[in-house]
Amino acid sequence: MSGSGGFSSLERECIRRHHSHEPAENQCSSVLIKRIKAPVPLVWSLVRRFDQPQKYKPFISRCVVQGNLEIGSLREVDVKSGLPATTSTERLELLDDDKHILSIRIVGGDHRLRNYSSIISLHSEIIDGRPGTLVVESFVVDTPEGNTKDETCFVVETLIKCNLKSLADVSERLAIQDWTEPMV
């Protein structure tokens, strides 16, 4: 889901609080929502791992972090073949363990995502009577020459949707294991 229409009041409040991008004339921006049937702490344990995005991002084959895991840290990501890129250099902009917010900025690589910045936030929600997670991810990026804003947003949204689906699959699989393990 993108744009501002069709969001619930909880979603609108999360977007207002944590996802304020002000795209320039040559940029596109969007917000995507995913509900995950797993508690926030479990989902956050995957999302917060700036050093291991490949745990749930299917297009990443390898990640190497330079220095300690802190604001300003850089990671070199190798992208799996089949995409129009092989590497990406990304900087950790925000990591808030209390509010469950992670923000990154792409600062280099052999791709067309210039001035890309994203924010992902997690919010507690009851889903089917169990603790669940509302995931909100937003981005802003330059529109490459020769492409329209719509084309650029479509490509980035498609990648994020794949990542969020994978995050849901991994988290929900782990949650089921937690719920079905015998109590000791």
Side-chain angles (χ1 to χ4, degrees):
M1 188 179 288
S2 65
S4 60
F7 291 120
S8 72
S9 58
L10 171 62
E11 293 165 351
R12 280 193 305 274
E13 180 59 21
C14 294
I15 293 165
R16 185 191 64 76
R17 235 187 286 151
H18 306 296
H19 297 269
S20 58
H21 295 286
E22 294 184 23
E25 183 61 33
N26 67 328
Q27 294 182 313
C28 71
S29 181
S30 187
V31 177
L32 294 100
I33 304 289
K34 181 72 175 172
R35 285 182 163 72
I36 298 178
K37 295 178 182 178
V40 168
L42 190 154
V43 180
W44 183 243
S45 73
L46 295 166
V47 170
R48 76 170 311 281
R49 292 304 305 263
F50 179 73
D51 59 332
Q52 293 183 354
Q54 66 274 26
K55 293 249 184 210
Y56 75 91
K57 292 186 175 186
F59 302 112
I60 296 177
S61 60
R62 190 174 80 96
C63 175
V64 177
V65 173
Q66 303 165 2
N68 295 328
L69 207 56
E70 58 194 14
I71 305 303
S73 293
L74 294 177
R75 69 182 179 194
E76 292 287 333
V77 172
D78 290 345
V79 179
K80 290 185 178 176
S81 63
L83 292 176
T86 57
T87 63
S88 182
T89 305
E90 303 170 356
R91 182 174 59 226
L92 181 61
E93 298 285 303
L94 176 66
L95 178 64
D96 188 323
D97 284 316
D98 296 324
K99 293 181 180 174
H100 304 110
I101 304 170
L102 174 84
S103 177
I104 65 137
R105 176 176 302 278
I106 294 180
V107 296
D110 67 343
H111 49 73
R112 300 182 69 198
L113 297 179
R114 300 290 172 241
N115 293 312
Y116 178 92
S117 178
S118 72
I119 300 167
I120 186 168
S121 63
L122 310 183
H123 311 273
S124 291
E125 189 173 64
I126 299 299
I127 301 173
D128 296 339
R130 292 192 178 264
T133 303
L134 170 67
V135 180
V136 181
E137 186 161 357
S138 62
F139 70 90
V140 63
V141 65
D142 288 0
T143 303
E145 193 171 316
N147 290 96
T148 67
K149 287 182 183 185
D150 286 345
E151 291 167 338
T152 303
C153 269
F154 177 80
V155 169
V156 176
E157 287 173 351
T158 300
L159 288 171
I160 290 174
K161 285 175 185 175
C162 288
N163 288 340
L164 292 176
K165 182 185 181 318
S166 178
L167 177 62
D169 292 345
V170 172
S171 298
E172 290 171 358
R173 192 168 42 250
L174 290 170
I176 288 170
Q177 288 173 1
D178 286 351
W179 290 328
T180 58
E181 286 180 3
M183 299 296 278
V184 179

